[in-house]
Amino acid sequence: MEKPPLRIEGFDVSNIQGTDAVASMVCFVNGLPKKSEYRIFKIRSKDTPDDFAMMHEAVWRRYRRRLDEKQPLPDLILIDGGKGQLNSAVQALRELGIENQPIIGLAKRMEDVFVPDNSDPMNIPKRSGAIKLLQQVRDEALRFAIGHFRKQHKKTLLHSPLDDIAGVGKSRKTHLLKTFGSLKKIREASLEELQTRGKLPQKVAEAVIETLSKT
């Protein structure tokens, strides 16, 4: 490198079968994490587990904004992954007109470091301080992505179709689930059962039947 990488920005993506996919970006300045600069990108472009496309989107969005705000680019971008993820990130930069940005990929399997336009990993000693710093950035990006992903995934799992029905508040939702035992049982209940056992007004009970019939 022409100058030491005093500012490193590292990227990682996290998802389960493409759901609740997020990308993380962490920032290290002078070898130390600068958490005020961390960012999370909720992936918009893909509903399938395509890590390459997700990485492309995160890198494009990050540096499109930096360019728009006339902010400096980092001394080094680190991508969690091998040649595929790295190539996706490089393509995103080129689409933005960024051609000479130092960027590498760090593959987990062998801790190999890849640079653009070279199919072979760089010959960096595995116990060197350089590798340890890159691993620290990569691992922090992974930790940050997974932490945010788990929060989002938990919210998704806790969400119920009942939450979207007008007239069904928290107390009615709790009563329905306690009375019938599950969302499946509520779906199978008749209009009369929802009114008597569920203690719902007729219009609310009809809305429950209509909504749950679509899920």
Side-chain angles (χ1 to χ4, degrees), residues 107-118:
K108 290 188 184 73
R109 184 165 172 263
M110 299 296 293
E111 301 292 10
D112 286 331
V113 176
F114 291 92
V115 296
D117 304 320
N118 192 333

Side-chain angles (χ1 to χ4, degrees), residues 122-135:
M122 298 184 69
N123 185 23
I124 302 177
K126 302 302 183 185
R127 295 184 179 181
S128 69
I131 284 289
K132 289 180 180 178
L133 174 58
L134 298 179
Q135 289 172 334

Side-chain angles (χ1 to χ4, degrees), residues 83-149:
K83 290 179 286 185
Q85 287 88 346
L86 176 61
N87 290 339
S88 296
V90 169
Q91 180 61 33
L93 294 176
R94 287 174 177 167
E95 290 173 9
L96 294 170
I98 302 172
E99 295 288 347
N100 298 313
Q101 168 65 44
I103 181 171
I104 60 171
L106 179 59
K108 290 188 184 73
R109 184 165 172 263
M110 299 296 293
E111 301 292 10
D112 286 331
V113 176
F114 291 92
V115 296
D117 304 320
N118 192 333
S119 59
D120 296 322
M122 298 184 69
N123 185 23
I124 302 177
K126 302 302 183 185
R127 295 184 179 181
S128 69
I131 284 289
K132 289 180 180 178
L133 174 58
L134 298 179
Q135 289 172 334
Q136 186 179 359
V137 176
R138 188 269 315 280
D139 292 346
E140 179 69 354
L142 176 62
R143 182 202 65 78
F144 189 52
I146 289 177
H148 185 84
F149 166 77

Side-chain angles (χ1 to χ4, degrees), residues 25 41 44 65 72 84 107 171 179 182 196:
M25 188 222 77
F41 302 90
R44 305 166 181 165
R65 181 161 186 172
S171 60
T179 300
S182 69
T196 55

